[in-house]
């Protein structure tokens, strides 16, 4: 299975990717996650990306395409992958097509998770994640079962993202509408686009995506 989870910041791409990758044993390729790791490790890419991410802008195409190209060659992608947050521009989508063509692979579906802007702000401002395994939670919508203990790994430390402040979130949303949403007709014209209602609860969204995967 090779899937793209597509949608604005906070629509639930990461949440669904984590659940589906656990179930289907596929690789989770989150460019945001990889970039945050590079920032925290102080690598050359991280130093280049840090300020751009903090102001809610997009990291240059060549940087993210380079990261994805390297990841696609790793053995963990042999059973398929879920792309989360990539591609985000037409240049990235065309580069992905070229990379996959060279490897004799193709994307099975692009699942668009549809959520209104008002709800996105609420989702992002309540989000936090496990510092150890990255499992995602929400103050209202997805609390850990035992208070301050991660459901997945038992970790007890949690973090909130630097770019989740409201002004930065609005900038990320503007960038989504200007640079990323134009990819929807691109994938629609290829017959790959499958929309799901992202306003439903987490389990219902997972079930809707499973129904799309069932007919592949
Ligand atoms: P990235 O990390 O990709 O962030 P994003 O796309 O803005 O998406 P988010 O991670 O904020 O949201 P999500 O859709 O994963 O939602 P989540 O599941 O967490 O990118 C960060 C930055 O990196 C970018 O701004 C850019 O600078 C750079 N970058 C990354 N990729 C790039 C690229 N390709 N090109 C250039 N730059 C790039 O859910 C949100 C919250 O809601 C959680 O708390 C969750 O528990 C809750 N929730 C989820 N689903 C539901 C539901 N159905 N009901 C109720 N609550 C829910």
């Amino acid at each position: 299975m090779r899937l793209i989870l597509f949608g604005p910041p906070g629509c639930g791409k990461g949440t669904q990717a984590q659940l589906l990758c656990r179930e289907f044993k596929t690789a989770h390729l989150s460019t945001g996650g990889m970039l945050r790791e590079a920032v925290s490790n102080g690598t050359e890419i991280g130093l280049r990306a840090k300020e751009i991410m903090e102001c809610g802008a997009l990291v240059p195409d060549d940087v993210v395409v380079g990261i994805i190209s390297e990841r696609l060659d790793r053995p963990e992608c042999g059973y398929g992958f879920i792309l989360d947050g990539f591609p985000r521009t037409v240049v990235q989508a065309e580069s992905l097509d070229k990379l996959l063509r060279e490897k004799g692979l193709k994307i099975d579906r692009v699942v668009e998770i549809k959520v209104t802007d008002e709800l996105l702000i609420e989702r992002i401002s309540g989000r936090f994640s496990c510092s150890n395994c990255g499992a995602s939670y929400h103050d209202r919508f997805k609390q850990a079962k035992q208070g301050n203990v991660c459901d997945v790994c038992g970790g007890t430390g949690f973090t909130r993202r630097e770019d989740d402040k409201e002004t930065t979130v609005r900038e990320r949303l503007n960038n989504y509408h200007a640079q990323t949403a134009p990819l929807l007709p691109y994938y629609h014209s290829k017959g790959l686009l499958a929309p799901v209602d992202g306003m439903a609860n987490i389990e219902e969204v997972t079930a809707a995506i499973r129904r799309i995967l069932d007919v592949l």
Side-chain angles (χ1 to χ4, degrees):
M1 172 182 72
R2 295 178 208 94
L3 199 67
I4 295 176
L5 290 184
F6 192 95
C11 70
K13 302 181 295 295
T15 301
Q16 296 301 329
Q18 287 178 2
L19 293 167
L20 294 163
C21 286
R22 242 175 263 147
E23 182 178 340
F24 293 99
K25 314 274 182 273
T26 52
H28 178 187
L29 304 182
S30 155
T31 39
M34 293 170 205
L35 289 166
R36 279 186 290 281
E37 196 181 324
V39 169
S40 79
N41 291 337
T43 65
E44 199 184 323
I45 287 177
L47 294 173
R48 216 172 142 193
K50 187 171 187 295
E51 275 182 31
I52 300 174
M53 292 171 78
E54 278 174 5
C55 69
L58 290 187
V59 172
D61 291 329
D62 64 314
V63 174
V64 283
V65 170
I67 295 177
I68 285 294
S69 168
E70 188 268 325
R71 288 287 171 135
L72 288 174
D73 287 332
R74 293 193 185 179
E76 73 210 42
C77 290
Y79 294 105
F81 52 80
I82 296 181
L83 285 162
D84 157 13
F86 181 92
R88 258 171 148 105
T89 63
V90 173
V91 170
Q92 292 178 23
E94 290 171 349
S95 302
L96 176 65
D97 284 348
K98 183 164 176 280
L99 282 172
L100 294 177
R101 221 174 17 249
E102 285 164 5
K103 297 174 201 307
L105 302 174
K106 63 178 184 53
I107 293 294
D108 297 312
R109 277 292 176 278
V110 177
V111 175
E112 180 199 4
I113 306 178
K114 292 167 86 95
V115 177
T116 59
D117 284 6
E118 297 69 39
L119 185 59
L120 293 172
I121 307 267
E122 190 183 355
R123 289 226 185 129
I124 293 180
S125 54
R127 168 171 57 186
F128 61 98
S129 62
C130 171
S131 314
N132 182 45
C133 73
S136 177
Y137 296 94
H138 192 278
D139 292 327
R140 277 186 54 209
F141 304 133
K142 187 174 185 258
Q143 295 161 344
K145 291 185 186 109
Q146 296 176 51
N148 287 334
V149 181
C150 175
D151 296 346
V152 179
C153 74
T156 52
F158 295 90
T159 52
R160 286 181 194 261
R161 275 169 47 178
E162 271 296 315
D163 60 346
D164 279 353
K165 298 184 190 95
E166 190 171 331
T167 45
T168 317
V169 173
R170 290 196 185 277
E171 187 57 31
R172 285 163 55 198
L173 273 175
N174 289 340
N175 285 329
Y176 172 79
H177 290 301
Q179 297 181 69
T180 307
L183 278 180
L184 291 168
Y186 178 87
Y187 285 119
H188 184 259
S189 70
K190 289 175 180 286
L192 291 174
L193 198 61
V196 296
D197 175 13
M199 311 284 284
N201 70 36
I202 293 174
E203 293 72 25
E204 287 166 342
V205 177
T206 312
I209 299 175
R210 272 206 215 96
R211 283 194 291 276
I212 290 167
L213 299 179
D214 280 348
V215 294
L216 286 180

Short mmCIF file of all heavy atoms in Angstrom, two decimals, residues 8-15 31-32 35-36 53 57-59 64 85-86 88 92 123 127 136-138 141-142 161 163 172 198 200-202 205, ligand 1:
data_model
loop_
_atom_site.label_atom_id
_atom_site.label_comp_id
_atom_site.label_asym_id
_atom_site.label_seq_id
_atom_site.Cartn_x
_atom_site.Cartn_y
_atom_site.Cartn_z
N PRO A 8 -5.01 20.06 5.32
CA PRO A 8 -4.41 21.20 5.99
C PRO A 8 -3.80 20.83 7.34
O PRO A 8 -4.06 19.75 7.87
CB PRO A 8 -5.61 22.15 6.18
CG PRO A 8 -6.80 21.27 6.15
CD PRO A 8 -6.48 20.14 5.24
N PRO A 9 -3.02 21.74 7.93
CA PRO A 9 -2.44 21.51 9.25
C PRO A 9 -3.53 21.19 10.27
O PRO A 9 -4.54 21.89 10.33
CB PRO A 9 -1.78 22.85 9.62
CG PRO A 9 -1.81 23.70 8.43
CD PRO A 9 -2.67 23.06 7.39
N GLY A 10 -3.35 20.13 11.03
CA GLY A 10 -4.30 19.79 12.09
C GLY A 10 -5.48 18.96 11.64
O GLY A 10 -6.36 18.63 12.44
N CYS A 11 -5.54 18.57 10.36
CA CYS A 11 -6.72 17.81 9.89
C CYS A 11 -6.70 16.37 10.40
O CYS A 11 -7.72 15.68 10.37
CB CYS A 11 -6.82 17.83 8.38
SG CYS A 11 -5.55 16.86 7.56
N GLY A 12 -5.52 15.89 10.85
CA GLY A 12 -5.44 14.53 11.37
C GLY A 12 -4.55 13.60 10.56
O GLY A 12 -4.59 12.38 10.75
N LYS A 13 -3.71 14.15 9.71
CA LYS A 13 -2.82 13.31 8.88
C LYS A 13 -1.91 12.44 9.76
O LYS A 13 -1.81 11.23 9.57
CB LYS A 13 -1.93 14.18 7.96
CG LYS A 13 -2.68 15.09 7.03
CD LYS A 13 -1.74 15.88 6.14
CE LYS A 13 -0.85 16.87 6.87
NZ LYS A 13 -1.55 17.99 7.54
N GLY A 14 -1.26 13.10 10.73
CA GLY A 14 -0.32 12.37 11.58
C GLY A 14 -1.02 11.32 12.43
O GLY A 14 -0.55 10.18 12.57
N THR A 15 -2.17 11.69 13.00
CA THR A 15 -2.94 10.76 13.84
C THR A 15 -3.32 9.52 13.04
O THR A 15 -3.12 8.38 13.48
CB THR A 15 -4.23 11.47 14.34
OG1 THR A 15 -3.85 12.63 15.07
CG2 THR A 15 -5.07 10.55 15.21
N THR A 31 7.28 14.38 6.56
CA THR A 31 8.37 15.34 6.35
C THR A 31 8.47 16.31 7.53
O THR A 31 9.58 16.68 7.92
CB THR A 31 8.18 16.12 5.02
OG1 THR A 31 6.81 16.41 4.83
CG2 THR A 31 8.73 15.33 3.85
N GLY A 32 7.32 16.69 8.12
CA GLY A 32 7.37 17.56 9.29
C GLY A 32 8.16 16.90 10.42
O GLY A 32 9.02 17.52 11.06
N LEU A 35 11.84 16.81 9.61
CA LEU A 35 12.46 18.14 9.74
C LEU A 35 12.62 18.52 11.22
O LEU A 35 13.65 19.06 11.61
CB LEU A 35 11.62 19.20 9.01
CG LEU A 35 11.66 19.11 7.48
CD1 LEU A 35 10.54 19.95 6.85
CD2 LEU A 35 13.00 19.57 6.94
N ARG A 36 11.63 18.20 12.05
CA ARG A 36 11.76 18.52 13.48
C ARG A 36 12.91 17.74 14.10
O ARG A 36 13.64 18.24 14.94
CB ARG A 36 10.44 18.21 14.22
CG ARG A 36 9.41 19.31 14.08
CD ARG A 36 8.17 19.07 14.92
NE ARG A 36 7.36 17.97 14.42
CZ ARG A 36 6.52 18.08 13.37
NH1 ARG A 36 6.38 19.20 12.76
NH2 ARG A 36 5.82 17.04 12.97
N MET A 53 10.32 27.01 9.60
CA MET A 53 9.23 26.28 10.25
C MET A 53 8.61 27.11 11.36
O MET A 53 7.39 27.12 11.53
CB MET A 53 9.73 24.94 10.80
CG MET A 53 10.12 23.98 9.71
SD MET A 53 10.95 22.53 10.34
CE MET A 53 9.58 21.59 10.98
N ALA A 57 6.24 28.97 7.36
CA ALA A 57 6.42 28.91 5.90
C ALA A 57 6.84 27.51 5.48
O ALA A 57 7.08 26.64 6.32
CB ALA A 57 7.47 29.94 5.48
N LEU A 58 6.95 27.30 4.16
CA LEU A 58 7.35 25.98 3.65
C LEU A 58 8.86 25.94 3.45
O LEU A 58 9.47 26.87 2.92
CB LEU A 58 6.66 25.68 2.32
CG LEU A 58 5.15 25.42 2.38
CD1 LEU A 58 4.66 24.97 1.00
CD2 LEU A 58 4.79 24.37 3.42
N VAL A 59 9.47 24.84 3.82
CA VAL A 59 10.89 24.59 3.61
C VAL A 59 11.09 24.39 2.09
O VAL A 59 10.19 23.86 1.41
CB VAL A 59 11.28 23.32 4.42
CG1 VAL A 59 12.68 22.86 4.12
CG2 VAL A 59 11.11 23.61 5.92
N VAL A 64 13.11 19.06 0.95
CA VAL A 64 12.18 17.98 1.31
C VAL A 64 12.20 16.85 0.27
O VAL A 64 12.10 15.68 0.64
CB VAL A 64 10.74 18.49 1.55
CG1 VAL A 64 10.61 19.15 2.90
CG2 VAL A 64 10.27 19.42 0.48
N GLY A 85 2.16 14.88 4.90
CA GLY A 85 2.73 16.23 4.78
C GLY A 85 3.62 16.40 3.56
O GLY A 85 4.28 17.43 3.43
N PHE A 86 3.64 15.45 2.69
CA PHE A 86 4.40 15.51 1.44
C PHE A 86 3.61 14.76 0.39
O PHE A 86 3.12 13.66 0.68
CB PHE A 86 5.78 14.86 1.62
CG PHE A 86 6.61 14.92 0.37
CD1 PHE A 86 7.50 15.96 0.15
CD2 PHE A 86 6.50 13.93 -0.61
CE1 PHE A 86 8.26 16.01 -1.01
CE2 PHE A 86 7.26 13.99 -1.78
CZ PHE A 86 8.14 15.04 -1.97
N ARG A 88 3.65 18.95 -0.97
CA ARG A 88 2.95 20.16 -0.54
C ARG A 88 2.97 21.25 -1.59
O ARG A 88 2.42 22.33 -1.35
CB ARG A 88 3.64 20.70 0.71
CG ARG A 88 2.94 20.40 2.00
CD ARG A 88 3.89 20.81 3.09
NE ARG A 88 3.23 21.29 4.24
CZ ARG A 88 3.13 20.57 5.36
NH1 ARG A 88 3.62 19.36 5.44
NH2 ARG A 88 2.55 21.08 6.40
N GLN A 92 6.92 19.53 -5.76
CA GLN A 92 7.14 18.31 -4.95
C GLN A 92 6.36 17.13 -5.54
O GLN A 92 6.85 16.00 -5.58
CB GLN A 92 6.73 18.54 -3.50
CG GLN A 92 7.63 19.51 -2.75
CD GLN A 92 7.20 19.77 -1.32
OE1 GLN A 92 6.50 18.95 -0.71
NE2 GLN A 92 7.60 20.90 -0.76
N ARG A 123 -8.07 22.21 17.00
CA ARG A 123 -7.33 20.95 17.06
C ARG A 123 -5.86 21.20 17.37
O ARG A 123 -5.25 20.53 18.19
CB ARG A 123 -7.44 20.22 15.73
CG ARG A 123 -8.82 19.66 15.49
CD ARG A 123 -8.72 18.25 15.01
NE ARG A 123 -10.02 17.73 14.66
CZ ARG A 123 -10.30 17.13 13.52
NH1 ARG A 123 -9.34 17.00 12.61
NH2 ARG A 123 -11.49 16.65 13.30
N ARG A 127 -3.15 20.36 20.89
CA ARG A 127 -2.37 19.16 20.58
C ARG A 127 -1.10 19.06 21.43
O ARG A 127 -0.44 20.02 21.72
CB ARG A 127 -1.95 19.21 19.12
CG ARG A 127 -0.90 18.18 18.76
CD ARG A 127 -0.64 18.10 17.32
NE ARG A 127 -0.24 19.35 16.71
CZ ARG A 127 -0.07 19.49 15.41
NH1 ARG A 127 -0.30 18.48 14.60
NH2 ARG A 127 0.31 20.64 14.91
N SER A 136 0.42 11.00 19.27
CA SER A 136 -0.24 12.30 19.31
C SER A 136 -1.48 12.29 20.21
O SER A 136 -2.27 11.33 20.18
CB SER A 136 -0.63 12.64 17.86
OG SER A 136 -1.32 13.85 17.82
N TYR A 137 -1.68 13.36 20.98
CA TYR A 137 -2.83 13.48 21.89
C TYR A 137 -3.45 14.87 21.75
O TYR A 137 -2.91 15.74 21.08
CB TYR A 137 -2.38 13.27 23.34
CG TYR A 137 -1.86 11.88 23.59
CD1 TYR A 137 -0.49 11.61 23.50
CD2 TYR A 137 -2.72 10.83 23.86
CE1 TYR A 137 0.00 10.34 23.70
CE2 TYR A 137 -2.24 9.54 24.06
CZ TYR A 137 -0.88 9.31 23.98
OH TYR A 137 -0.41 8.04 24.16
N HIS A 138 -4.61 15.03 22.42
CA HIS A 138 -5.28 16.33 22.39
C HIS A 138 -5.94 16.57 23.75
O HIS A 138 -6.48 15.62 24.35
CB HIS A 138 -6.33 16.34 21.28
CG HIS A 138 -6.86 17.70 20.99
ND1 HIS A 138 -7.86 18.29 21.75
CD2 HIS A 138 -6.53 18.62 20.05
CE1 HIS A 138 -8.12 19.49 21.28
NE2 HIS A 138 -7.32 19.71 20.23
N PHE A 141 -9.84 16.10 22.65
CA PHE A 141 -10.31 15.06 21.73
C PHE A 141 -9.61 13.71 21.89
O PHE A 141 -10.14 12.69 21.46
CB PHE A 141 -10.15 15.52 20.28
CG PHE A 141 -10.83 16.82 19.96
CD1 PHE A 141 -10.17 17.82 19.27
CD2 PHE A 141 -12.13 17.04 20.37
CE1 PHE A 141 -10.79 19.02 18.98
CE2 PHE A 141 -12.77 18.23 20.07
CZ PHE A 141 -12.10 19.23 19.39
N LYS A 142 -8.39 13.70 22.44
CA LYS A 142 -7.70 12.41 22.56
C LYS A 142 -6.75 12.45 23.75
O LYS A 142 -5.56 12.76 23.61
CB LYS A 142 -6.92 12.08 21.28
CG LYS A 142 -6.33 10.67 21.31
CD LYS A 142 -5.69 10.32 19.99
CE LYS A 142 -5.21 8.89 20.00
NZ LYS A 142 -3.79 8.73 20.20
N ARG A 161 4.34 21.65 20.15
CA ARG A 161 5.18 22.15 19.07
C ARG A 161 5.31 23.67 19.08
O ARG A 161 4.35 24.37 19.36
CB ARG A 161 4.60 21.69 17.72
CG ARG A 161 5.08 20.32 17.35
CD ARG A 161 4.36 19.71 16.20
NE ARG A 161 4.18 20.58 15.03
CZ ARG A 161 3.59 20.18 13.91
NH1 ARG A 161 3.16 18.93 13.80
NH2 ARG A 161 3.45 21.01 12.91
N ASP A 163 5.57 25.57 16.53
CA ASP A 163 4.79 26.25 15.48
C ASP A 163 3.28 26.11 15.68
O ASP A 163 2.51 26.35 14.77
CB ASP A 163 5.21 25.74 14.08
CG ASP A 163 4.99 24.24 13.91
OD1 ASP A 163 4.77 23.54 14.91
OD2 ASP A 163 5.03 23.76 12.76
N ARG A 172 0.37 29.02 8.57
CA ARG A 172 0.44 27.68 7.96
C ARG A 172 -0.81 27.40 7.13
O ARG A 172 -0.74 26.82 6.04
CB ARG A 172 0.63 26.62 9.05
CG ARG A 172 2.05 26.63 9.62
CD ARG A 172 2.17 25.90 10.94
NE ARG A 172 1.69 24.54 10.93
CZ ARG A 172 1.39 23.85 12.03
NH1 ARG A 172 1.53 24.41 13.22
NH2 ARG A 172 0.97 22.62 11.95
N GLY A 198 -13.12 14.69 7.61
CA GLY A 198 -12.21 14.77 8.75
C GLY A 198 -12.82 15.42 9.97
O GLY A 198 -12.17 15.54 11.01
N ALA A 200 -15.39 14.16 11.45
CA ALA A 200 -15.86 13.04 12.28
C ALA A 200 -14.79 12.70 13.32
O ALA A 200 -13.67 13.20 13.26
CB ALA A 200 -16.11 11.83 11.37
N ASN A 201 -15.14 11.81 14.28
CA ASN A 201 -14.14 11.51 15.30
C ASN A 201 -13.03 10.60 14.74
O ASN A 201 -13.14 10.09 13.62
CB ASN A 201 -14.79 10.94 16.58
CG ASN A 201 -15.35 9.55 16.38
OD1 ASN A 201 -14.78 8.74 15.66
ND2 ASN A 201 -16.48 9.27 17.01
N ILE A 202 -11.97 10.43 15.51
CA ILE A 202 -10.76 9.77 15.01
C ILE A 202 -11.08 8.36 14.48
O ILE A 202 -10.64 7.98 13.39
CB ILE A 202 -9.68 9.72 16.12
CG1 ILE A 202 -9.19 11.15 16.42
CG2 ILE A 202 -8.50 8.82 15.71
CD1 ILE A 202 -8.24 11.28 17.59
N VAL A 205 -12.93 8.42 11.17
CA VAL A 205 -12.06 8.79 10.03
C VAL A 205 -11.21 7.57 9.63
O VAL A 205 -11.08 7.25 8.44
CB VAL A 205 -11.15 10.00 10.38
CG1 VAL A 205 -10.21 10.31 9.23
CG2 VAL A 205 -12.00 11.22 10.72
P1 LIG B 1 3.88 19.11 9.52
O1 LIG B 1 4.46 18.51 10.72
O2 LIG B 1 3.64 18.27 8.33
O3 LIG B 1 2.59 19.87 9.96
P2 LIG B 1 1.17 20.11 9.23
O4 LIG B 1 0.97 19.62 7.86
O5 LIG B 1 0.99 21.56 9.42
O6 LIG B 1 0.24 19.17 9.94
P3 LIG B 1 0.14 18.91 11.47
O7 LIG B 1 1.21 17.96 11.90
O8 LIG B 1 0.08 20.21 12.20
O9 LIG B 1 -1.30 18.29 11.57
P4 LIG B 1 -1.88 16.85 11.24
O10 LIG B 1 -2.73 16.94 10.02
O11 LIG B 1 -0.80 15.81 11.26
O12 LIG B 1 -2.85 16.68 12.49
P5 LIG B 1 -2.71 15.76 13.79
O13 LIG B 1 -2.93 14.35 13.42
O14 LIG B 1 -1.49 16.10 14.56
O15 LIG B 1 4.79 20.33 9.02
C1 LIG B 1 5.33 21.28 9.93
C2 LIG B 1 6.19 22.28 9.16
O16 LIG B 1 7.28 21.58 8.52
C3 LIG B 1 5.49 23.00 8.00
O17 LIG B 1 4.79 24.16 8.45
C4 LIG B 1 6.68 23.35 7.10
O18 LIG B 1 7.41 24.46 7.60
C5 LIG B 1 7.57 22.13 7.22
N1 LIG B 1 7.25 21.09 6.21
C6 LIG B 1 6.78 19.83 6.45
N2 LIG B 1 6.61 19.16 5.30
C7 LIG B 1 6.96 20.01 4.31
C8 LIG B 1 6.98 19.92 2.89
N3 LIG B 1 6.58 18.80 2.27
N4 LIG B 1 7.40 20.99 2.19
C9 LIG B 1 7.82 22.11 2.80
N5 LIG B 1 7.82 22.29 4.14
C10 LIG B 1 7.40 21.24 4.88
O19 LIG B 1 -4.01 16.24 14.59
C11 LIG B 1 -4.06 17.52 15.23
C12 LIG B 1 -4.70 17.37 16.63
O20 LIG B 1 -6.07 17.05 16.46
C13 LIG B 1 -4.09 16.25 17.50
O21 LIG B 1 -4.04 16.68 18.83
C14 LIG B 1 -5.07 15.06 17.34
O22 LIG B 1 -5.12 14.27 18.53
C15 LIG B 1 -6.39 15.78 17.08
N6 LIG B 1 -7.22 15.05 16.11
C16 LIG B 1 -6.80 14.45 14.96
N7 LIG B 1 -7.85 13.90 14.30
C17 LIG B 1 -8.97 14.22 15.05
C18 LIG B 1 -10.37 13.95 14.89
N8 LIG B 1 -10.84 13.27 13.81
N9 LIG B 1 -11.20 14.42 15.84
C19 LIG B 1 -10.74 15.11 16.92
N10 LIG B 1 -9.42 15.37 17.13
C20 LIG B 1 -8.55 14.95 16.20
#
